[in-house]
Amino acid sequence: MPCVSNEWELPPELCCRPMPFVALMGLDMIYNAVHRAIWEAFSANRRTDRVPVSFKILPGDHEFPKCRTKRTSYEWYIPKGILKVGWMHKHLNVIPAVAVVFFELDWDEPQWRERQSECSTRVEIVRQSLQGRGTKVAVVLIQKKAPLPPGEDLVASERASTLCAACELSAKALFVLPHTDHIVGYIIRLENAFYELSQGYYHAEARKVKSHKELLNRTTHQLLFVRHQFKIGFFCELKQDTQTALKHYKNAYSHVHELRAYDTNVHEIKTFAGFINYKICRLCFQHNLPLDAISQFRKHVDLCKTKSGSSELAFEHAAWMAKQYSVFGDLFDEAIKLGLTAIQTQHPGFYYQQAAYRAQDRKKMALQLCKPLASVVYPLPDPLETPSGKLDYFGQRPWRQGHQSIDPPDPAREREGILALQLHERAVDHSGLIIPTLSSAVAQFKKYKCPRMKNYLMVQMGEEYYCAKDYTRSLTLFNYVLCEYRVERWWMILTSILSTALKCAFLMAQVQDYITISMELLGRTSTLDDERKSVIQKNLMKVLMNTCPDPEPACDEAAIEVAKRLWKEAASLKTNNMITVEMQNYVPFVECKAAFLQESFSVDSPVKLQLSLRAGCPFPQRYSHLSVTFNNQAYNVSGSCDLSCTTEPPTEGELCLLGGKVQRHDFSFVAETSDTGKAIEIESVRLELGSESGRRLVLHWLGAGGDAASAREAQQVSRSSRRLQHLPSEEPHWDSISIRASTLVQARTPRLTLHVEHDPPALSFELFRLCVCTQSREEQPVSDVQLTISLQPGQDANLSQTTHITLDCNEQCDDSFPAFLHNIPLGNLQPGERMEKDIFVKTTLVGSRIFVISVAYTVTAMVGEGGHHLSCRCQQDETVVIETLQPFDMSVKHFSMKVESMTRIYSDDPFLLQTNILSLSPCPITIARGCFRLQPPMASPDGDPASHLKQVQLQKDEIGSDCCCLQCPPVPDGQSGVAMGTYTIFWKRSSAAPNDPLVTTVLTLPHVIVETIPLYVHAEMPAFGRVREVLPLRFQLHNRTAFVQEVEATVTASDAFMFSGNKLVRLRILAGCEQELLYNLYPLMPGFQALPQLLLRLLHFPGATNEALQRLLPTHIFVKPQARGTNSLTLAAG
Amino acid sequence: MFNVATGGRRRRAFCTMAVCVAVITKENYPLYISNVPAANELKFHYTVHTSLDVVEEKLSAVGKTTSDLRELYLGLLYPTEDYKVYPLMCETHPPSTPPPPPIPIFVGDGMVFRSCPRAHAFESRYGYVANTKVKFVIVIDSSNTSFRDNEIRSMFRKLHTAYTDVMCNPFYTPGDPIQSKTFDDVISSMMQVC
């Protein structure tokens, strides 16, 4: 068993958490159920809340290893190594801190003496076995009964003290374990007691080691300084005193580097330094001091990296370094799992990364140093073999254990040893070590937001897989990272990865990958030189010819042979000779830009498309087929955009791309009429390389070309201040070609004149005539002419409620008519034919309206020169703005019979109603007639009131008046207004034809206030008077109420008259009766004279105004002068 | 004794020369990378590229808290790095607009990131990021442990000025790789081997 295979693996006893070791003795696990229950209580469910103790069952007569007598002087002692291999194991698992003897004994045991001596014998046996050691011995009595409270059981205390005396135990080391239901509780108390005992033991052990210090000297006992400090540290750790342990480990670490290192012992020093470093870092993390751990580790690496040892075993040093890094990474990671937080610049990934790099160094060195030579045979006897199969001391060479001299004791043996190690190294699977470490690093870098570092490590993983000949995994990893580098445009890195990936694809005969990688390596972003590109292109052509490409440089010979066989197999498979590559995912060597020549095409003209191609490869590249597909499948079926060489051989330079030259192809096709108003988009461009006989490679661009890098390039071009100009003769500059992936198909331009004749403005309620005149200017007869009129969308929504359109002027156009008319068939039109159509619009609200009038028709058109006939629908639109005005305004006035204006009327009192029609229309209107429609109780005293307006023409601002006499009986609520009825006007424009219908406008007459007066006064007198002739004046007072009224009448004096009659009189008028007052006036002056005024006071109606009555009475009279020649005195006052 | 010490330091200060200088755009693609020795170009590309992780992270942190830019020293960039990489970000105009008139540029405006020099590292990366997110990265051979911060800053200032000159060239389209003899000269003066 060679002692090298463990590869710097840390021993498990170093990595575990040291816990006090307690041996449980005398438990019979096989035959005794009680004992087994006790053991299970000790061993099961050891959670963190229980004290850290490691229990182990040993038989009662277990032989512990013999204790060697400790030397009292180190004077002549020369240590052989730093630490024995078994030391940690011994203290963890072999030598107990406490040996516990279990014994079944009850206090009321009848045969007490016999049992007591039996117990003391057992204790004595254990003591004998542990002679010379400080191990504490304790006794546990397993009892059937529950104990009495302390002090009550006198027998028990007495017997306990005798037992202690017999077993030479202190009272503190004797325990009772009643075997009752609460066993776990007792066990926990017991183990706490054992834990305390163990603390004492380890403390004593540590002191014992410490006491040796004075005996050491610095010249010969350097190793012992390290050993002792480490041991103290370890004992402290067993004691669970990690702070002190850390201190001693640190001491040990500084002592280790004080040792003189030379080729023969550097291995041992590094091994042990690694152990101590592990302990320190682990404890630092445990104490939540990550920075201390990191700085310790840095110090460790710095101190040790120069201690590379023998140059023939340089790989060993690299392996050791790798191990240090990865172990620290693990420790760090574990600490993070326990709650530590790491940051982007400090996390375990870095350590795994370094571990991987060191492992790579190791691989390189191993390849250099361990060259396989046929002459070398493994040395015999095996220098790595030791008699025990183990080493005595950590880190020593198996063939010269215990030697601490500078020079190896046997140079020949030394050479054999080194050779054996080298031969072992050769068998190591380095990639198998590197890849998992890189993988751990990748996971960490991903976790701590370092995507680029993660990608870099994945590339390295891929390269390592390539070295390990696992090409599938390698290629998978490369494919994963390639797009990231492509997006970030790091072309040099991309090219480097692609080159390795190409090798993988070649060695696995992965046709698809091989082609895509080659295409990208030939592309414009590749940093390869032309020579290399030529080789790649030749290989690509070979693949398209279905033959095996030339092997990539620097490939493994054996792998090439395998690859060639795979390529042949792939070639024989006929199923996969069609390969499609999605170009937008790569930066390939063929670029494509497709553009429609215009942003829109009319449906009756051919759609033109230009396709530009450019190849970046060194050799001309032939292709066999070029096609464009569109979003409408109809164009794809027709095949008008295919360029194919399948039928005829390609003309020179036609289907061949020259490196760096731009090639253009023009396509044109006729759009479908159903696509009118829609966009035609280029869905994809397909370029086919290769032929049916070999492999067919389809380069597929989604959209109108462009690849992973072209969007960015187009942006750069647009940003450039350089103007790309080119002469017509010159080849166009590639960058100046832009992509236009979609075009709009527009309707054919109509050839039709559309004209709307009308006479603005429109008058509300009028049927306004719009005359739509269309004239065809087409060369062909047009059919299916249809007229549509509607309000233009986007206007006030209320307009559609107040607008009505009809075709027939004779029907009453009311609210049921719509605000639009669709698709009114107008028949066919011959070329040049003119057609008119009247439309009537009635608007009930003033304002301006926009109407859209459109005429659609079908015509057969010719497209292009090919004589392709196309039936298309054209449409001509016209908008008309129509302003609507009010035709006239009506005002109403009331007059009394005296033609005095009144604001209110009086019941039973006839009055006059006058309507004034004010024309507002700019064009003359004719009022055919007017018509009053009275609403009861309003009535006319002379029967049906007639209108006086008949066939009156009104210019703008002229007024036509109508008048009628009305009377209203008393109404109960006359004060709030009484409806009078309506006034209807029948009118039309004066310019309208005689047979045009009249417009009926109904106007509502305003409400009028009707007042009832209690006393009606009527004055009777002649039409005129004459000076000095008697003028009789009679006042009739009529009581219109149902009550008797008292009236006080006064007559005021007047300068123009003398009069006779009552100056002041008080009358009583019965209900509904009349009284007369008679006065004889004697006019004194001629002219229009004021009459004496009659003032009436109604005593029962004090509120009734005199004013209302005055209105009824005449105020003046015309007095003629005295007639000449007549005797004025012939008449006397009667 | 005193003279020997200062002489030694001065010589080492002269050795504080970049092994790689890179200008990276806002979109994180390289405008310019130059390195000595030229043989190891690919490795330097990776070095510069991976250092962008830290720069990006720092930049996103700057957006959140407008703390003092001086506080943005990275401390430890990559603890077991072979190089010291100094990323620097400088201001440029937004990409969509045509080149604006030259802006006076203050190096103090940007942020200097640096890694802590460690005895076992061989080279270190330094960088500077300006308001418009153009990054400058300088990789320094970290066997020179005696470099001073001022030297790094003055190198960046020089680099920044040279970059500004490139941007001022009306025939240069922002976003194109830098091909300028003057710029090359400045860079090669920074990378002189002592």
Side-chain angles (χ1 to χ4, degrees), chain A residues 160-263:
Chain A
S161 58
T162 58
L163 186 68
C164 283
C167 301
E168 295 171 39
L169 279 174
S170 79
K172 282 180 183 167
L174 178 67
F175 303 94
V176 172
L177 173 61
H179 178 243
T180 59
D181 293 341
H182 308 291
I183 189 162
V184 175
Y186 286 110
I187 294 290
I188 285 173
R189 280 164 67 183
L190 274 181
E191 69 184 25
N192 285 337
F194 298 158
Y195 176 69
E196 264 176 43
L197 286 174
S198 75
Q199 297 248 320
Y201 166 77
Y202 289 121
H203 184 69
E205 289 295 303
R207 285 182 68 92
K208 213 190 279 175
V209 180
K210 225 181 262 181
S211 68
H212 299 324
K213 195 181 172 186
E214 292 133 35
L215 306 173
L216 306 181
N217 67 60
R218 291 241 158 227
T219 48
T220 49
H221 298 144
Q222 287 283 7
L223 294 174
L224 292 183
F225 280 106
V226 182
R227 181 192 294 172
H228 290 167
Q229 286 300 327
F230 181 82
K231 282 187 175 177
I232 298 168
F234 197 78
F235 281 131
C236 288
E237 223 183 332
L238 279 165
K239 203 186 139 193
Q240 308 302 314
D241 181 0
T242 49
Q243 298 287 0
T244 322
L246 184 59
K247 193 181 89 190
H248 288 287
Y249 284 139
K250 281 182 176 168
N251 288 341
Y253 191 79
S254 57
H255 285 311
V256 119
H257 284 292
E258 284 163 13
L259 296 175
R260 269 188 66 203
Y262 30 85
D263 280 3

Side-chain angles (χ1 to χ4, degrees), chain A residues 78-92:
Chain A
I78 293 172
K80 289 178 173 176
I82 298 175
L83 191 70
K84 283 210 170 168
V85 166
W87 187 82
M88 281 185 282
H89 175 74
K90 185 172 83 178
H91 285 278
L92 283 170

Side-chain angles (χ1 to χ4, degrees), chain A residues 294 297-298 301-302 305 325 344-347 350-351 353-354 357-358 445 448-456 459 463 484-485 487-493 496-497 712 715-717 719-722, chain B residues 24 27-30 33 41-46 48-50 52-58 74 76-82 95-99 118-122 125 170-176:
Chain A
I294 291 165
F297 181 71
R298 290 181 169 287
V301 170
D302 285 349
K305 76 176 168 195
Y325 277 113
Q344 193 197 27
T345 50
Q346 186 55 267
H347 59 77
F350 292 105
Y351 300 97
Q353 185 191 12
Q354 288 299 318
Y357 290 169
R358 300 293 164 258
F445 277 105
Y448 293 101
K449 292 185 198 162
C450 299
R452 296 178 185 84
M453 188 60 111
K454 186 199 85 182
N455 290 341
Y456 178 38
V459 172
E463 280 165 357
E484 313 263 345
Y485 286 107
V487 166
E488 290 223 308
R489 302 164 55 78
W490 286 71
W491 305 127
M492 180 175 240
I493 296 176
S496 135
I497 300 170
R712 171 80 212 162
Q715 198 192 343
Q716 275 303 104
V717 168
R719 210 191 269 180
S720 172
S721 52
R722 249 166 288 155
Chain B
I24 317 289
E27 295 88 356
N28 288 336
Y29 69 87
I33 296 190
E41 203 176 351
L42 183 64
K43 184 174 163 50
F44 281 109
H45 272 249
Y46 276 121
V48 173
H49 187 242
T50 50
L52 292 178
D53 281 336
V54 182
V55 178
E56 286 282 285
E57 187 68 18
K58 284 285 141 189
L74 270 192
L76 196 64
L77 176 57
Y78 283 140
T80 49
E81 195 47 64
D82 291 347
S96 55
T97 56
R118 288 288 153 187
H120 68 280
F122 305 124
R125 317 169 176 193
F171 298 104
Y172 171 75
T173 306
D176 277 353

